[in-house]
Amino acid sequence: MLELSAFDLSLLLACALFAGLVDSIIGGGGMIQVPALFAVLPGFPPATLLSVNKFGSIVGTIGSAIQYSRVNKSPWGLVIVSSAFAFFASVAGAYLVTQLPTQWLRGALPFLLLALLIFNIKSSAGLIHAPKHQHHKQKAIASTGAGVIGFYDGFLGPGAGAFYKLFYTRVLGFDFLRSAAPAKFLNIASNLGALCVFFYLGYFDWKLGLLMASANLVGGQIGTKIAIKHGNAFIRKGFFILVTILIIKTFYDAFLR
């Protein structure tokens, strides 16, 4: 078993549970889970900790996605096709991140997020379910967006779950609750793509992965029930709070660290 003190073990489990809760409602659980892993286990290879985060997120997100899909019927044809694009794009992004510097993207990210935040505060996107596209056009647009965000998730990753939800609400016209399951399945696909690359390169720890995944799953189930109970307005407020935190964090990582 991992050589962890009772305090460190409790801290990791608490952070994983809270990350799963936050991620199930608005996305962005990695902002909680990744720093916790790096703080408690500084001697582990970074790639191993990132792969453990991906694994825990996948397990927790699967639980949330199932819960959301029971409440609102998911457009499975759309989800399956766009998930395939997210998966393969993430594989490409995860491989490319081992070959190229990411500093230019880190520098641009906070300003992109700020523009998206301002753009969405001025709209009612996510409160009303009014799909903007149908059939083949909807699949083409969804697959393109999934590919772009999936590549980003493999290449860099912070806030990818929030980007998926933003894409479904703003571009496709879904409300927050009906976008939840599709966004979760896309996030699972892109996390899985990146995780396959880490597996192939030998960066993973099963004991740590299962530990984090179990707590992530519990947190995800709690968060999903909260989101379903309180509805679109609650999720929208949480989404704006998350994006604001993402802007601060990505700006700090790019320019102040």
Side-chain angles (χ1 to χ4, degrees):
M1 187 59 191
L2 291 167
E3 295 295 328
L4 291 173
S5 67
F7 175 79
D8 285 345
L9 181 60
S10 299
L11 178 61
L12 274 182
L13 287 172
C15 288
L17 188 146
F18 188 57
L21 188 153
V22 170
D23 203 52
S24 66
I25 299 174
I26 47 179
M31 290 192 301
I32 300 166
Q33 195 160 259
V34 171
L37 285 165
F38 275 80
V40 174
L41 298 163
F44 270 56
T48 298
L49 297 181
L50 291 173
S51 69
V52 164
N53 172 65
K54 293 288 186 187
F55 180 74
S57 178
I58 288 170
V59 173
T61 305
I62 287 173
S64 297
I66 292 171
Q67 286 271 67
Y68 281 120
S69 62
R70 286 175 178 170
V71 176
N72 292 295
K73 185 178 179 181
S74 295
W76 291 113
L78 181 69
V79 169
I80 291 170
V81 172
S82 53
S83 291
F85 277 80
F87 175 86
F88 288 109
S90 179
V91 169
Y95 174 75
L96 197 60
V97 77
T98 66
Q99 310 296 317
L100 296 175
T102 62
Q103 193 57 40
W104 64 272
L105 183 57
R106 292 181 186 274
L109 189 57
F111 300 102
L112 172 62
L113 286 166
L114 180 60
L116 290 172
L117 178 64
I118 295 171
F119 187 56
N120 280 273
I121 286 176
K122 293 180 176 293
S123 78
S124 59
L127 295 177
I128 301 171
H129 185 65
K132 298 178 181 179
H133 313 284
Q134 299 297 325
H135 307 303
H136 297 301
K137 185 177 181 181
Q138 187 184 58
K139 286 183 180 179
I141 294 173
S143 297
T144 301
V148 172
I149 300 170
F151 180 85
Y152 164 77
D153 196 13
F155 190 73
L156 198 60
F163 277 124
Y164 282 125
K165 187 164 287 188
L166 175 64
F167 178 74
Y168 262 80
T169 55
R170 187 69 199 180
V171 178
L172 297 180
F174 285 46
D175 67 18
F176 278 109
L177 278 177
R178 286 180 178 83
S179 71
K184 294 299 178 191
F185 284 115
L186 290 174
N187 206 9
I188 291 166
S190 58
N191 275 334
L192 185 59
L195 188 59
C196 285
V197 175
F198 288 129
F199 274 156
Y200 178 76
L201 296 175
Y203 293 108
F204 194 68
D205 185 288
W206 280 105
K207 292 178 181 179
L208 181 59
L210 291 172
L211 176 74
M212 301 299 287
S214 60
N216 215 285
L217 178 62
V218 173
Q221 294 299 294
I222 295 171
T224 303
K225 291 177 180 178
I226 293 172
I228 292 171
K229 179 179 179 181
H230 292 283
N232 287 313
F234 171 79
I235 300 174
R236 186 172 188 264
K237 290 176 183 176
F239 179 81
F240 288 153
I241 292 171
L242 172 74
V243 174
T244 301
I245 295 171
L246 266 174
I247 292 168
I248 296 169
K249 183 182 185 302
T250 53
F251 185 87
Y252 174 79
D253 289 345
F255 300 107
L256 300 179
R257 177 173 289 182

